Amino acid sequence: MICIILSSLVIPLLLLSPSEVSAVTPVFTLVETPSVERTWEDLSILHPEQYMNSSMVEEEIENIHSTVPELVDVEVIGQSYEGRDIYSIRITNEDAPYQKAKALVVAHHHGREMVTVNVAIYFMLWLLNGYGSDPQITEYVDTEEIYIIPTLNPDALNYIYNTNDPYLRKNLRPYDDDGDGLFDEDYYEDVDDDGY
């Protein structure tokens, strides 16, 4: 016999006899969530077919938030080593009257993985463009809180964008590469100390 038991029912059911347990019928109530009325046209990316720097990412976030404020909240969750804002975008239907499950998407953790920024922004557009027209996407946004951090590493994003250096994996916080007590004096590719 397979039973699916809600966690709040486990202890009381253990105290009952087998015949009493079979008489217990859990009650489930479907909570209806009214969807937000869609008043926006489909969004498109402002900087298509290219990698973005942190200013472009901010423009994309502002465009998304200003177009669909009914479903999008933007929060600065911290600053990078060089003082750039790190944004968290929350997409959800605020009209839902209950606690919702959460999902977190963190993009651009490693400096050289710039494409993940674009993927995160396209994911936001996919959710918002599908809302109100695709029943599965609408239900997902209505019943979940989706948090998206398009770049966790905006300093490295700008560094790679401006220098075209594809090797930086970490952030720009100085660190002691070789354990000699000095920070960032050894360029990671300068194996013969000639400065190149």
Side-chain angles (χ1 to χ4, degrees):
M1 183 170 108
I2 298 174
C3 294
I4 299 174
I5 302 172
L6 297 175
S7 60
S8 61
L9 295 175
V10 171
I11 300 300
L13 289 177
L14 291 176
L15 301 175
L16 300 175
S17 70
S19 62
E20 290 172 319
V21 169
S22 64
V24 174
T25 306
V27 176
F28 297 96
T29 305
L30 179 62
V31 178
E32 292 291 329
T33 303
S35 292
V36 171
E37 182 182 345
R38 183 173 171 145
T39 59
W40 61 92
E41 298 293 324
D42 276 359
L43 292 150
S44 58
I45 197 162
L46 299 175
H47 304 283
E49 300 179 23
Q50 65 177 321
Y51 293 126
M52 293 181 245
N53 62 24
S54 63
S55 298
M56 293 173 176
V57 172
E58 289 178 3
E59 289 173 18
E60 297 286 354
I61 291 169
E62 177 55 36
N63 179 52
I64 290 168
H65 180 248
S66 64
T67 305
V68 193
E70 303 91 342
L71 297 176
V72 179
D73 291 324
V74 178
E75 182 179 355
V76 174
I77 58 171
Q79 274 76 38
S80 66
Y81 176 73
E82 293 184 343
R84 292 181 178 86
D85 289 335
I86 299 172
Y87 293 94
S88 173
I89 294 84
R90 183 176 69 127
I91 298 176
T92 192
N93 177 354
E94 288 292 338
D95 294 337
Y98 51 84
Q99 181 77 19
K100 295 188 255 182
K102 276 94 172 139
L104 173 64
V105 175
V106 180
H108 195 244
H109 181 267
H110 298 126
R112 63 183 171 217
E113 296 168 358
M114 297 174 71
V115 71
T116 62
V117 175
N118 295 50
V119 171
I121 291 172
Y122 276 111
F123 177 60
M124 287 187 274
L125 297 181
W126 179 76
L127 290 173
L128 298 170
N129 290 342
Y131 189 87
S133 59
D134 183 309
Q136 287 183 310
I137 294 174
T138 304
E139 180 182 8
Y140 181 54
V141 173
D142 283 344
T143 60
E144 302 266 341
E145 290 182 26
I146 304 109
Y147 292 86
I148 302 164
I149 300 172
T151 175
L152 191 61
N153 196 351
D155 295 344
L157 184 66
N158 277 8
Y159 175 82
I160 291 171
Y161 184 86
N162 293 325
T163 64
N164 202 22
D165 178 358
Y167 297 106
L168 179 67
R169 183 170 187 266
K170 301 191 184 283
N171 58 34
L172 294 185
R173 183 176 299 277
Y175 63 97
D176 184 1
D177 297 336
D178 55 2
D180 62 1
L182 301 174
F183 293 85
D184 278 354
E185 87 286 5
D186 299 316
Y187 187 69
Y188 56 86
E189 289 290 328
D190 188 9
V191 294
D192 60 0
D193 291 327
D194 66 353
Y196 297 98

